[in-house]
Amino acid sequence: MADLSSAFSFLTDNSFAAVAKDAYNSFSERREALGLSNPGTVDNIAREVQKEVLLSNFMFTGLRADLTKAFSMSPLFRVSHAFAMGSSGNLPPYAFSAMYGSPRVFTQGNFGSDGSLAAVGNYRWSPKFVTKANTQIMAGATQGLLQLDNDYTGDDFSASIKAFNPSLLDGGLTGIFVGSYLQSITPGLALGFEAIWQRQGMSTRPETALSYCGRYKTSDWIASAQLQAQGVFAASYWRKLSERVEAGVDMNLQFAPNPAAALMGAPSKDGTTSIGAKYDFRASSFRAQVDSTGKVSCLLEKRIAMPIALTFAGEIDHAKQSAKLGLAVSLEIAGEEMLEQQEKIEAQGMVPPPF
């Protein structure tokens, strides 16, 4: 072993390696002196607006009932039964779900009465590195979905590599591959990019795309912007108006090529803008949203008692002269031992499962 290490010692014991090492150490010390924090990921660059304030991830129609039983909190293990009726989405009439989570492993499986199947598995290799796998098989679909993610969360940056339906069975590499990187430049400013490489089959040529993004954060407001491929520009603005009130604006503008407009020297423009607000009360949460297409939406989540919660959703589309309503009842059963375990976990500050 000593002979092997001495044989390759010339790679590190030289003036060029010493200069590179000193430069890297000096650069690392200056980065630490700036006090930069992790900026999040490119996928969640507008999380405060798109996933917290606006109703895109919360809106539903019809009647829903969710029954959840928690068996343990450390490790986390729970099962749930979901019933849906009159939904305009892809929700099956009945779905069974099981969840298991520990500080290193998280797994969840969903099986619907229509034959759909979804499974998620995450593994935390270290506090900063997580591997995720997601597979879905929809009823009547000719092809399923397989997604593999590798996320690394640094002190002042985030990097991610994703693969959608990767395959080597056609004699070469096919699928969709996405790589993203977001770096904090100053305590408030973060810049990043996202690169996409995709190939549907060996008979087609691969396609590539590159997107750029930026995020600026202060104590009470956050602004983000993304310049995506194919001429798509997205921007969002989030602001905390008070301790319990948040507001956000999300804009998506697409410069699509139009032959008629190209003759006039200008591309066609198509975009939407959504404005929303969120109010948090002691035992309820209210969200309201209006967009440029004429839709007005609202959602109210009310905690009736410790195990029971009600959710009401409503939407009016003035352009199409239509309205949608949704009502959901959630019942979560957990014994006193489960509540005591949850309090201990929150008090000890344990590492949550790699969701």
Side-chain angles (χ1 to χ4, degrees):
M1 188 67 179
D3 296 338
L4 183 62
S5 60
S6 60
F8 291 95
S9 61
F10 71 93
L11 296 176
T12 57
D13 297 341
N14 57 75
S15 57
F16 178 79
V19 172
K21 183 178 180 180
D22 292 341
Y24 177 78
N25 293 335
S26 177
F27 178 71
S28 299
E29 292 176 357
R30 292 184 179 181
R31 285 176 58 181
E32 294 178 358
L34 293 175
L36 303 178
S37 60
N38 183 270
T41 62
V42 174
D43 291 339
N44 294 326
I45 194 170
R47 175 182 58 85
E48 291 80 5
V49 176
Q50 298 177 355
K51 297 185 178 182
E52 297 293 338
V53 175
L54 299 183
L55 307 182
S56 302
N57 297 327
F58 302 94
M59 194 63 194
F60 66 97
T61 59
L63 300 178
R64 282 175 38 190
D66 299 327
L67 308 178
T68 303
K69 170 63 176 179
F71 293 92
S72 175
M73 293 299 299
S74 181
L76 176 65
F77 179 66
R78 61 177 61 182
V79 297
S80 63
H81 306 268
F83 304 87
M85 182 175 63
S87 175
S88 60
N90 296 324
L91 294 178
Y94 169 76
F96 173 79
S97 175
M99 179 190 302
Y100 173 84
S102 67
R104 297 182 67 90
V105 179
F106 172 78
T107 58
Q108 182 178 9
N110 298 275
F111 179 76
S113 58
D114 59 349
S116 60
L117 177 65
V120 177
N122 302 348
Y123 186 79
R124 188 188 299 273
W125 302 93
S126 68
K128 296 183 178 181
F129 183 57
V130 177
T131 296
K132 305 177 182 179
N134 183 2
T135 180
Q136 296 181 11
I137 301 176
M138 303 301 295
T142 58
Q143 184 180 9
L145 171 65
L146 175 62
Q147 178 180 344
L148 302 175
D149 299 2
N150 291 279
D151 300 334
Y152 186 86
T153 304
D155 295 334
D156 57 1
F157 72 93
S158 294
S160 175
I161 298 178
K162 301 180 181 180
F164 297 87
N165 289 345
S167 176
L168 294 171
L169 301 179
D170 297 337
L173 184 62
T174 60
I176 302 176
F177 301 86
V178 181
S180 61
Y181 183 84
L182 188 61
Q183 171 72 57
S184 292
I185 307 300
T186 66
L189 178 63
L191 300 176
F193 68 90
E194 183 178 71
I196 301 176
W197 185 93
Q198 62 178 345
R199 190 171 192 175
Q200 298 180 356
M202 297 304 299
S203 59
T204 61
R205 299 184 61 181
E207 300 178 359
T208 60
L210 187 62
S211 304
Y212 304 93
C213 59
R215 172 185 170 98
Y216 191 83
K217 179 180 180 180
T218 65
S219 59
D220 57 354
W221 62 270
I222 300 174
S224 63
Q226 291 180 280
L227 180 59
Q228 303 174 1
Q230 309 300 329
V232 179
F233 177 76
S236 65
Y237 177 79
W238 173 88
R239 187 175 184 88
K240 194 172 186 63
L241 302 178
S242 65
E243 183 180 357
R244 296 185 176 183
V245 181
E246 304 174 13
V249 180
D250 185 70
M251 181 190 69
N252 189 288
L253 183 62
Q254 182 174 3
F255 296 90
N258 188 326
L263 297 176
M264 303 299 295
S268 62
K269 297 183 289 293
D270 183 19
T272 58
T273 301
S274 301
I275 303 175
K278 177 185 177 183
Y279 299 82
D280 289 324
F281 303 98
R282 184 180 61 85
S284 62
S285 177
F286 177 76
R287 293 178 174 87
Q289 172 183 327
V290 59
D291 60 28
S292 57
T293 62
K295 292 182 181 180
V296 179
S297 310
C298 68
L299 186 138
L300 175 64
E301 297 173 310
K302 175 68 175 179
R303 175 71 66 176
I304 303 299
M306 181 60 67
I308 304 175
L310 293 177
T311 304
F312 172 81
E315 179 184 279
I316 299 177
D317 192 335
H318 293 281
K320 297 181 180 180
Q321 298 294 321
S322 63
K324 299 178 181 179
L325 294 176
L327 178 63
V329 180
S330 301
L331 176 61
E332 184 172 355
I333 303 174
E336 296 182 359
E337 296 180 357
M338 302 299 101
L339 299 178
E340 293 178 357
Q341 291 182 11
Q342 184 177 4
E343 293 177 357
K344 291 181 180 180
I345 293 174
E346 294 177 354
Q348 295 175 2
M350 298 177 62
V351 179
F355 297 155

